[in-house]
Amino acid sequence: MSAEELATKLSTLDISDLVFVDEATGSDDAGCGNKDKPFKSAASAVGHIASQPEAAQESLKIVIKKAGDEKYSYITPSALKKAKNAYELALKKAKKQAEREARDKEEREAKLVEEQRKLEESKKVVLTQDPSLPKPKTIQIRDAKENRNV
């Protein structure tokens, strides 16, 4: 396909069907996938496409501009596969993190309940003087030798 044919095809393509990725100036946080605010990574573009309705997903195409390039070009199949894998890995990590946080929260709550139970139980303990023993006597430390075995 010649450059003229490619330019003609691109001019007939609806720009709303493109998701832009600019590795040099894009932003995964602030980007929205249009030409003015492109994504920085293809994985974010895949995530954006995945969040769209299923009917719209088919028509969306990713175009990417590498650092140092001047023009956007369609993403290669291998790069798309790599981006999908990165997106799926990010989803798994987020799910695992959410599960870990939920488990940690449950453990903290259980520990707090256990500490409260122990505190309430310790309040029930009452210390009393054994009447069969002699009455305690207050002494100074320096007088301890003389008061042993008394």
Side-chain angles (χ1 to χ4, degrees):
M1 183 179 298
S2 70
E4 291 174 9
E5 291 173 338
L6 185 60
T8 306
K9 248 186 177 179
L10 282 176
S11 66
T12 61
L13 187 63
D14 186 11
I15 198 161
S16 65
D17 290 343
L18 297 177
V19 178
F20 290 87
V21 175
D22 188 340
E23 293 181 350
T25 61
S27 172
D28 288 340
D29 298 326
C32 60
N34 61 23
K35 198 168 189 171
D36 297 329
K37 291 184 179 181
F39 291 112
K40 185 168 186 78
S41 68
S44 293
V46 169
H48 173 73
I49 291 172
S51 69
Q52 300 299 314
E54 199 167 317
Q57 288 180 9
E58 295 296 321
S59 64
L60 293 173
K61 304 289 182 216
I62 299 175
V63 290
I64 190 166
K65 182 165 78 169
K66 302 273 185 190
D69 288 352
E70 293 181 19
K71 294 183 179 182
Y72 285 94
S73 59
Y74 285 106
I75 191 167
T76 61
S78 61
L80 181 60
K81 183 178 179 181
K82 188 176 180 180
K84 285 180 181 179
N85 289 340
Y87 173 69
E88 289 172 0
L89 181 64
L91 286 179
K92 286 179 185 177
K93 282 184 178 181
K95 181 180 176 185
K96 198 177 227 183
Q97 179 68 23
E99 289 172 353
R100 187 178 312 120
E101 287 174 359
R103 186 180 64 242
D104 289 348
K105 183 180 179 184
E106 288 176 9
E107 288 174 358
R108 281 193 304 272
E109 289 173 356
K111 187 176 179 181
L112 182 63
V113 168
E114 180 66 17
E115 287 176 357
Q116 290 293 329
R117 185 191 63 77
K118 285 181 179 180
L119 180 64
E120 292 301 318
E121 190 176 298
S122 68
K123 288 180 181 179
K124 294 177 185 175
V125 175
V126 178
L127 297 178
T128 58
Q129 179 70 31
D130 187 359
S132 66
L133 295 175
K135 190 164 182 148
K137 179 169 114 178
T138 305
I139 62 169
Q140 299 290 322
I141 291 179
R142 65 176 176 254
D143 300 331
K145 267 188 173 178
E146 294 121 21
N147 288 296
R148 284 192 191 155
N149 300 324
V150 175

Short mmCIF file of all heavy atoms in Angstrom, two decimals, residues 34-92:
data_model
loop_
_atom_site.label_atom_id
_atom_site.label_comp_id
_atom_site.label_asym_id
_atom_site.label_seq_id
_atom_site.Cartn_x
_atom_site.Cartn_y
_atom_site.Cartn_z
N ASN A 34 -8.03 10.99 23.27
CA ASN A 34 -8.19 11.78 22.04
C ASN A 34 -6.84 12.38 21.66
O ASN A 34 -5.85 12.22 22.36
CB ASN A 34 -9.29 12.84 22.19
CG ASN A 34 -9.00 13.84 23.28
OD1 ASN A 34 -7.86 14.04 23.66
ND2 ASN A 34 -10.04 14.47 23.80
N LYS A 35 -6.81 13.06 20.55
CA LYS A 35 -5.53 13.56 20.03
C LYS A 35 -4.93 14.64 20.94
O LYS A 35 -3.72 14.76 21.05
CB LYS A 35 -5.72 14.11 18.61
CG LYS A 35 -4.41 14.25 17.87
CD LYS A 35 -4.65 14.50 16.40
CE LYS A 35 -3.32 14.41 15.65
NZ LYS A 35 -3.49 14.44 14.22
N ASP A 36 -5.79 15.41 21.61
CA ASP A 36 -5.30 16.47 22.49
C ASP A 36 -4.80 15.92 23.83
O ASP A 36 -3.88 16.48 24.44
CB ASP A 36 -6.40 17.50 22.75
CG ASP A 36 -6.82 18.21 21.49
OD1 ASP A 36 -5.97 18.38 20.59
OD2 ASP A 36 -8.01 18.58 21.39
N LYS A 37 -5.42 14.85 24.30
CA LYS A 37 -5.03 14.24 25.58
C LYS A 37 -4.83 12.73 25.38
O LYS A 37 -5.65 11.92 25.80
CB LYS A 37 -6.11 14.48 26.63
CG LYS A 37 -6.24 15.92 27.07
CD LYS A 37 -7.25 16.03 28.17
CE LYS A 37 -7.39 17.46 28.63
NZ LYS A 37 -8.36 17.58 29.72
N PRO A 38 -3.72 12.35 24.77
CA PRO A 38 -3.49 10.93 24.51
C PRO A 38 -3.03 10.18 25.77
O PRO A 38 -2.60 10.79 26.75
CB PRO A 38 -2.37 10.94 23.46
CG PRO A 38 -1.62 12.19 23.75
CD PRO A 38 -2.65 13.19 24.22
N PHE A 39 -3.16 8.87 25.72
CA PHE A 39 -2.61 8.03 26.79
C PHE A 39 -1.11 7.91 26.60
O PHE A 39 -0.59 8.12 25.51
CB PHE A 39 -3.24 6.64 26.75
CG PHE A 39 -4.69 6.62 27.14
CD1 PHE A 39 -5.66 6.33 26.20
CD2 PHE A 39 -5.09 6.89 28.43
CE1 PHE A 39 -7.00 6.29 26.54
CE2 PHE A 39 -6.42 6.87 28.79
CZ PHE A 39 -7.38 6.57 27.84
N LYS A 40 -0.42 7.56 27.68
CA LYS A 40 1.03 7.36 27.59
C LYS A 40 1.36 5.91 27.20
O LYS A 40 2.35 5.66 26.52
CB LYS A 40 1.71 7.73 28.90
CG LYS A 40 3.22 7.65 28.82
CD LYS A 40 3.85 8.30 30.01
CE LYS A 40 5.36 8.35 29.89
NZ LYS A 40 5.81 9.40 29.03
N SER A 41 0.53 4.97 27.64
CA SER A 41 0.82 3.57 27.36
C SER A 41 -0.34 2.91 26.62
O SER A 41 -1.49 3.31 26.77
CB SER A 41 1.09 2.81 28.66
OG SER A 41 -0.08 2.72 29.43
N ALA A 42 0.00 1.89 25.86
CA ALA A 42 -1.02 1.16 25.11
C ALA A 42 -1.91 0.38 26.07
O ALA A 42 -3.09 0.16 25.77
CB ALA A 42 -0.35 0.24 24.11
N ALA A 43 -1.38 -0.02 27.22
CA ALA A 43 -2.19 -0.76 28.20
C ALA A 43 -3.34 0.11 28.71
O ALA A 43 -4.45 -0.38 28.91
CB ALA A 43 -1.32 -1.22 29.36
N SER A 44 -3.09 1.39 28.90
CA SER A 44 -4.16 2.30 29.32
C SER A 44 -5.20 2.46 28.21
O SER A 44 -6.40 2.57 28.49
CB SER A 44 -3.60 3.66 29.69
OG SER A 44 -2.80 3.57 30.83
N ALA A 45 -4.74 2.47 26.97
CA ALA A 45 -5.67 2.55 25.84
C ALA A 45 -6.54 1.30 25.78
O ALA A 45 -7.75 1.38 25.54
CB ALA A 45 -4.90 2.74 24.54
N VAL A 46 -5.95 0.13 26.02
CA VAL A 46 -6.71 -1.12 26.04
C VAL A 46 -7.74 -1.07 27.18
O VAL A 46 -8.88 -1.48 27.00
CB VAL A 46 -5.77 -2.34 26.19
CG1 VAL A 46 -6.54 -3.60 26.48
CG2 VAL A 46 -4.93 -2.50 24.94
N GLY A 47 -7.35 -0.55 28.33
CA GLY A 47 -8.28 -0.41 29.44
C GLY A 47 -9.43 0.53 29.10
O GLY A 47 -10.58 0.28 29.47
N HIS A 48 -9.11 1.61 28.39
CA HIS A 48 -10.15 2.56 27.96
C HIS A 48 -11.13 1.87 27.01
O HIS A 48 -12.34 2.03 27.14
CB HIS A 48 -9.50 3.77 27.29
CG HIS A 48 -10.48 4.71 26.66
ND1 HIS A 48 -11.28 5.53 27.40
CD2 HIS A 48 -10.78 4.93 25.36
CE1 HIS A 48 -12.04 6.24 26.58
NE2 HIS A 48 -11.76 5.89 25.33
N ILE A 49 -10.61 1.11 26.09
CA ILE A 49 -11.46 0.40 25.13
C ILE A 49 -12.31 -0.63 25.87
O ILE A 49 -13.50 -0.79 25.58
CB ILE A 49 -10.62 -0.26 24.01
CG1 ILE A 49 -10.01 0.84 23.12
CG2 ILE A 49 -11.45 -1.22 23.19
CD1 ILE A 49 -9.02 0.34 22.10
N ALA A 50 -11.73 -1.33 26.83
CA ALA A 50 -12.47 -2.35 27.58
C ALA A 50 -13.61 -1.74 28.39
O ALA A 50 -14.61 -2.40 28.65
CB ALA A 50 -11.53 -3.10 28.51
N SER A 51 -13.48 -0.46 28.76
CA SER A 51 -14.53 0.18 29.55
C SER A 51 -15.69 0.68 28.68
O SER A 51 -16.72 1.10 29.21
CB SER A 51 -13.95 1.36 30.34
OG SER A 51 -13.56 2.40 29.46
N GLN A 52 -15.53 0.64 27.38
CA GLN A 52 -16.57 1.09 26.45
C GLN A 52 -17.61 -0.02 26.25
O GLN A 52 -17.34 -1.19 26.50
CB GLN A 52 -15.96 1.46 25.10
CG GLN A 52 -14.93 2.57 25.16
CD GLN A 52 -15.50 3.86 25.68
OE1 GLN A 52 -16.57 4.29 25.26
NE2 GLN A 52 -14.79 4.49 26.60
N PRO A 53 -18.81 0.35 25.78
CA PRO A 53 -19.81 -0.68 25.47
C PRO A 53 -19.27 -1.66 24.43
O PRO A 53 -18.46 -1.28 23.58
CB PRO A 53 -20.99 0.10 24.91
CG PRO A 53 -20.78 1.51 25.34
CD PRO A 53 -19.32 1.70 25.56
N GLU A 54 -19.72 -2.88 24.50
CA GLU A 54 -19.18 -3.92 23.62
C GLU A 54 -19.36 -3.60 22.14
O GLU A 54 -18.49 -3.90 21.32
CB GLU A 54 -19.84 -5.26 23.94
CG GLU A 54 -19.06 -6.43 23.43
CD GLU A 54 -19.53 -7.75 24.02
OE1 GLU A 54 -19.77 -7.80 25.22
OE2 GLU A 54 -19.65 -8.70 23.23
N ALA A 55 -20.45 -2.94 21.77
CA ALA A 55 -20.68 -2.58 20.37
C ALA A 55 -19.64 -1.57 19.89
O ALA A 55 -19.20 -1.61 18.74
CB ALA A 55 -22.08 -2.01 20.20
N ALA A 56 -19.23 -0.67 20.76
CA ALA A 56 -18.25 0.36 20.38
C ALA A 56 -16.82 -0.18 20.37
O ALA A 56 -15.95 0.37 19.69
CB ALA A 56 -18.35 1.54 21.34
N GLN A 57 -16.58 -1.25 21.10
CA GLN A 57 -15.22 -1.79 21.20
C GLN A 57 -14.69 -2.27 19.86
O GLN A 57 -13.51 -2.15 19.57
CB GLN A 57 -15.17 -2.96 22.19
CG GLN A 57 -15.32 -2.54 23.62
CD GLN A 57 -15.28 -3.72 24.58
OE1 GLN A 57 -14.98 -4.85 24.19
NE2 GLN A 57 -15.57 -3.45 25.83
N GLU A 58 -15.56 -2.80 19.03
CA GLU A 58 -15.15 -3.34 17.74
C GLU A 58 -14.61 -2.26 16.81
O GLU A 58 -13.69 -2.50 16.04
CB GLU A 58 -16.33 -4.06 17.07
CG GLU A 58 -16.81 -5.27 17.81
CD GLU A 58 -15.76 -6.37 17.88
OE1 GLU A 58 -15.04 -6.58 16.88
OE2 GLU A 58 -15.65 -7.00 18.95
N SER A 59 -15.19 -1.07 16.88
CA SER A 59 -14.80 -0.02 15.93
C SER A 59 -13.59 0.78 16.40
O SER A 59 -12.97 1.49 15.59
CB SER A 59 -15.97 0.93 15.69
OG SER A 59 -16.30 1.60 16.89
N LEU A 60 -13.23 0.70 17.66
CA LEU A 60 -12.11 1.49 18.17
C LEU A 60 -10.78 0.88 17.76
O LEU A 60 -10.58 -0.33 17.86
CB LEU A 60 -12.20 1.60 19.69
CG LEU A 60 -13.36 2.41 20.23
CD1 LEU A 60 -13.42 2.30 21.75
CD2 LEU A 60 -13.27 3.86 19.82
N LYS A 61 -9.89 1.73 17.30
CA LYS A 61 -8.54 1.31 16.89
C LYS A 61 -7.52 2.16 17.66
O LYS A 61 -7.74 3.34 17.92
CB LYS A 61 -8.32 1.52 15.39
CG LYS A 61 -9.34 0.83 14.51
CD LYS A 61 -9.15 -0.66 14.53
CE LYS A 61 -10.16 -1.31 13.60
NZ LYS A 61 -10.66 -2.55 14.08
N ILE A 62 -6.40 1.56 17.98
CA ILE A 62 -5.34 2.27 18.70
C ILE A 62 -4.30 2.75 17.71
O ILE A 62 -3.80 1.97 16.89
CB ILE A 62 -4.68 1.35 19.76
CG1 ILE A 62 -5.71 0.91 20.79
CG2 ILE A 62 -3.53 2.07 20.45
CD1 ILE A 62 -5.20 -0.10 21.80
N VAL A 63 -3.98 4.04 17.80
CA VAL A 63 -2.87 4.59 17.02
C VAL A 63 -1.84 5.08 18.04
O VAL A 63 -2.18 5.63 19.08
CB VAL A 63 -3.31 5.72 16.06
CG1 VAL A 63 -4.13 5.17 14.92
CG2 VAL A 63 -4.05 6.81 16.78
N ILE A 64 -0.59 4.87 17.70
CA ILE A 64 0.48 5.13 18.66
C ILE A 64 1.56 5.98 18.02
O ILE A 64 1.84 5.86 16.83
CB ILE A 64 1.05 3.79 19.18
CG1 ILE A 64 1.99 4.01 20.36
CG2 ILE A 64 1.72 3.01 18.09
CD1 ILE A 64 2.29 2.73 21.11
N LYS A 65 2.13 6.88 18.82
CA LYS A 65 3.26 7.70 18.37
C LYS A 65 4.39 7.44 19.34
O LYS A 65 4.30 7.77 20.52
CB LYS A 65 2.88 9.18 18.34
CG LYS A 65 4.02 10.07 17.82
CD LYS A 65 3.56 11.46 17.44
CE LYS A 65 3.37 12.34 18.62
NZ LYS A 65 3.18 13.76 18.27
N LYS A 66 5.43 6.81 18.84
CA LYS A 66 6.60 6.50 19.65
C LYS A 66 7.37 7.77 19.96
O LYS A 66 7.26 8.77 19.25
CB LYS A 66 7.53 5.52 18.92
CG LYS A 66 6.89 4.22 18.53
CD LYS A 66 6.99 3.24 19.64
CE LYS A 66 6.44 1.90 19.17
NZ LYS A 66 6.31 0.98 20.26
N ALA A 67 8.17 7.73 21.01
CA ALA A 67 9.00 8.88 21.35
C ALA A 67 9.97 9.15 20.19
O ALA A 67 10.65 8.25 19.71
CB ALA A 67 9.79 8.59 22.63
N GLY A 68 9.98 10.36 19.71
CA GLY A 68 10.85 10.74 18.61
C GLY A 68 10.16 10.71 17.26
O GLY A 68 10.66 11.29 16.30
N ASP A 69 9.03 10.03 17.14
CA ASP A 69 8.28 10.01 15.88
C ASP A 69 7.43 11.26 15.76
O ASP A 69 7.10 11.90 16.74
CB ASP A 69 7.36 8.79 15.80
CG ASP A 69 8.13 7.49 15.58
OD1 ASP A 69 9.35 7.56 15.35
OD2 ASP A 69 7.49 6.42 15.66
N GLU A 70 7.08 11.58 14.52
CA GLU A 70 6.24 12.76 14.28
C GLU A 70 4.81 12.38 13.98
O GLU A 70 3.91 13.19 14.16
CB GLU A 70 6.82 13.58 13.13
CG GLU A 70 8.15 14.22 13.45
CD GLU A 70 8.69 15.05 12.30
OE1 GLU A 70 7.90 15.44 11.42
OE2 GLU A 70 9.89 15.29 12.29
N LYS A 71 4.58 11.16 13.49
CA LYS A 71 3.24 10.76 13.07
C LYS A 71 2.76 9.57 13.88
O LYS A 71 3.54 8.76 14.36
CB LYS A 71 3.24 10.40 11.58
CG LYS A 71 3.54 11.56 10.67
CD LYS A 71 3.46 11.14 9.23
CE LYS A 71 3.74 12.34 8.33
NZ LYS A 71 3.63 11.98 6.92
N TYR A 72 1.43 9.49 13.97
CA TYR A 72 0.80 8.33 14.60
C TYR A 72 0.74 7.20 13.59
O TYR A 72 0.58 7.42 12.40
CB TYR A 72 -0.63 8.68 15.05
CG TYR A 72 -0.68 9.53 16.28
CD1 TYR A 72 -0.76 10.92 16.20
CD2 TYR A 72 -0.64 8.95 17.55
CE1 TYR A 72 -0.81 11.69 17.34
CE2 TYR A 72 -0.70 9.73 18.69
CZ TYR A 72 -0.79 11.10 18.59
OH TYR A 72 -0.83 11.86 19.71
N SER A 73 0.83 5.97 14.08
CA SER A 73 0.67 4.79 13.24
C SER A 73 -0.14 3.76 14.03
O SER A 73 -0.19 3.81 15.26
CB SER A 73 2.02 4.22 12.84
OG SER A 73 2.76 3.85 13.98
N TYR A 74 -0.78 2.85 13.30
CA TYR A 74 -1.57 1.81 13.97
C TYR A 74 -0.67 0.93 14.81
O TYR A 74 0.48 0.67 14.45
CB TYR A 74 -2.32 0.95 12.94
CG TYR A 74 -3.50 1.65 12.35
CD1 TYR A 74 -3.46 2.14 11.04
CD2 TYR A 74 -4.66 1.83 13.09
CE1 TYR A 74 -4.55 2.79 10.50
CE2 TYR A 74 -5.75 2.48 12.55
CZ TYR A 74 -5.69 2.96 11.26
OH TYR A 74 -6.77 3.61 10.72
N ILE A 75 -1.20 0.49 15.92
CA ILE A 75 -0.43 -0.39 16.81
C ILE A 75 -0.24 -1.74 16.13
O ILE A 75 -1.14 -2.23 15.44
CB ILE A 75 -1.14 -0.52 18.17
CG1 ILE A 75 -0.23 -1.19 19.20
CG2 ILE A 75 -2.46 -1.21 18.05
CD1 ILE A 75 -0.72 -1.08 20.62
N THR A 76 0.92 -2.34 16.30
CA THR A 76 1.20 -3.64 15.71
C THR A 76 0.48 -4.73 16.52
O THR A 76 0.20 -4.55 17.70
CB THR A 76 2.71 -3.93 15.69
OG1 THR A 76 3.18 -3.95 17.05
CG2 THR A 76 3.47 -2.88 14.89
N PRO A 77 0.18 -5.84 15.89
CA PRO A 77 -0.51 -6.92 16.62
C PRO A 77 0.27 -7.41 17.85
O PRO A 77 -0.31 -7.69 18.88
CB PRO A 77 -0.64 -8.04 15.58
CG PRO A 77 -0.63 -7.32 14.27
CD PRO A 77 0.29 -6.15 14.47
N SER A 78 1.59 -7.48 17.72
CA SER A 78 2.38 -7.94 18.87
C SER A 78 2.35 -6.91 20.00
O SER A 78 2.27 -7.27 21.18
CB SER A 78 3.83 -8.22 18.45
OG SER A 78 4.44 -7.05 17.95
N ALA A 79 2.38 -5.63 19.65
CA ALA A 79 2.30 -4.59 20.68
C ALA A 79 0.92 -4.58 21.32
O ALA A 79 0.78 -4.35 22.53
CB ALA A 79 2.62 -3.23 20.07
N LEU A 80 -0.11 -4.85 20.53
CA LEU A 80 -1.47 -4.92 21.07
C LEU A 80 -1.61 -6.09 22.03
O LEU A 80 -2.19 -5.96 23.10
CB LEU A 80 -2.48 -5.04 19.93
CG LEU A 80 -3.95 -5.10 20.35
CD1 LEU A 80 -4.34 -3.84 21.11
CD2 LEU A 80 -4.84 -5.27 19.12
N LYS A 81 -1.04 -7.23 21.67
CA LYS A 81 -1.08 -8.40 22.54
C LYS A 81 -0.35 -8.12 23.85
O LYS A 81 -0.83 -8.46 24.93
CB LYS A 81 -0.45 -9.59 21.82
CG LYS A 81 -0.50 -10.88 22.62
CD LYS A 81 0.10 -12.02 21.83
CE LYS A 81 0.07 -13.30 22.65
NZ LYS A 81 0.65 -14.42 21.93
N LYS A 82 0.80 -7.46 23.75
CA LYS A 82 1.58 -7.10 24.93
C LYS A 82 0.79 -6.13 25.81
O LYS A 82 0.78 -6.25 27.04
CB LYS A 82 2.90 -6.47 24.49
CG LYS A 82 3.88 -6.23 25.59
CD LYS A 82 5.19 -5.70 25.02
CE LYS A 82 6.19 -5.44 26.09
NZ LYS A 82 7.47 -4.94 25.56
N ALA A 83 0.11 -5.17 25.19
CA ALA A 83 -0.69 -4.20 25.94
C ALA A 83 -1.87 -4.89 26.63
O ALA A 83 -2.21 -4.57 27.77
CB ALA A 83 -1.19 -3.10 25.01
N LYS A 84 -2.52 -5.83 25.94
CA LYS A 84 -3.62 -6.58 26.55
C LYS A 84 -3.15 -7.37 27.76
O LYS A 84 -3.80 -7.40 28.80
CB LYS A 84 -4.27 -7.52 25.52
CG LYS A 84 -5.14 -6.81 24.52
CD LYS A 84 -5.76 -7.79 23.53
CE LYS A 84 -6.62 -7.08 22.51
NZ LYS A 84 -7.20 -8.02 21.53
N ASN A 85 -1.99 -8.01 27.61
CA ASN A 85 -1.43 -8.78 28.73
C ASN A 85 -1.09 -7.86 29.90
O ASN A 85 -1.33 -8.21 31.05
CB ASN A 85 -0.20 -9.57 28.29
CG ASN A 85 -0.54 -10.72 27.39
OD1 ASN A 85 -1.68 -11.18 27.36
ND2 ASN A 85 0.43 -11.20 26.62
N ALA A 86 -0.53 -6.69 29.60
CA ALA A 86 -0.20 -5.73 30.67
C ALA A 86 -1.47 -5.24 31.36
O ALA A 86 -1.50 -5.09 32.59
CB ALA A 86 0.58 -4.55 30.09
N TYR A 87 -2.52 -5.01 30.58
CA TYR A 87 -3.80 -4.57 31.15
C TYR A 87 -4.39 -5.66 32.04
O TYR A 87 -4.85 -5.39 33.15
CB TYR A 87 -4.77 -4.19 30.03
CG TYR A 87 -6.15 -3.88 30.52
CD1 TYR A 87 -6.41 -2.73 31.26
CD2 TYR A 87 -7.21 -4.74 30.26
CE1 TYR A 87 -7.69 -2.46 31.72
CE2 TYR A 87 -8.49 -4.45 30.71
CZ TYR A 87 -8.72 -3.32 31.44
OH TYR A 87 -9.98 -3.04 31.90
N GLU A 88 -4.37 -6.90 31.57
CA GLU A 88 -4.90 -8.02 32.36
C GLU A 88 -4.09 -8.21 33.64
O GLU A 88 -4.65 -8.48 34.71
CB GLU A 88 -4.91 -9.30 31.53
CG GLU A 88 -5.95 -9.29 30.43
CD GLU A 88 -5.84 -10.46 29.48
OE1 GLU A 88 -4.94 -11.31 29.65
OE2 GLU A 88 -6.66 -10.54 28.55
N LEU A 89 -2.78 -8.04 33.55
CA LEU A 89 -1.93 -8.14 34.73
C LEU A 89 -2.26 -7.04 35.73
O LEU A 89 -2.33 -7.28 36.93
CB LEU A 89 -0.45 -8.08 34.32
CG LEU A 89 0.57 -8.20 35.45
CD1 LEU A 89 0.48 -9.58 36.09
CD2 LEU A 89 1.97 -7.98 34.92
N ALA A 90 -2.48 -5.84 35.23
CA ALA A 90 -2.85 -4.72 36.11
C ALA A 90 -4.19 -4.99 36.79
O ALA A 90 -4.36 -4.68 37.98
CB ALA A 90 -2.91 -3.42 35.32
N LEU A 91 -5.13 -5.58 36.07
CA LEU A 91 -6.43 -5.93 36.67
C LEU A 91 -6.25 -6.97 37.77
O LEU A 91 -6.85 -6.87 38.84
CB LEU A 91 -7.39 -6.46 35.60
CG LEU A 91 -8.00 -5.45 34.65
CD1 LEU A 91 -8.91 -6.17 33.66
CD2 LEU A 91 -8.78 -4.40 35.40
N LYS A 92 -5.42 -7.99 37.50
CA LYS A 92 -5.17 -9.03 38.50
C LYS A 92 -4.52 -8.44 39.74
O LYS A 92 -4.87 -8.79 40.87
CB LYS A 92 -4.28 -10.14 37.92
CG LYS A 92 -4.98 -11.05 36.95
CD LYS A 92 -4.04 -12.10 36.41
CE LYS A 92 -4.70 -12.95 35.35
NZ LYS A 92 -3.78 -13.93 34.77
#
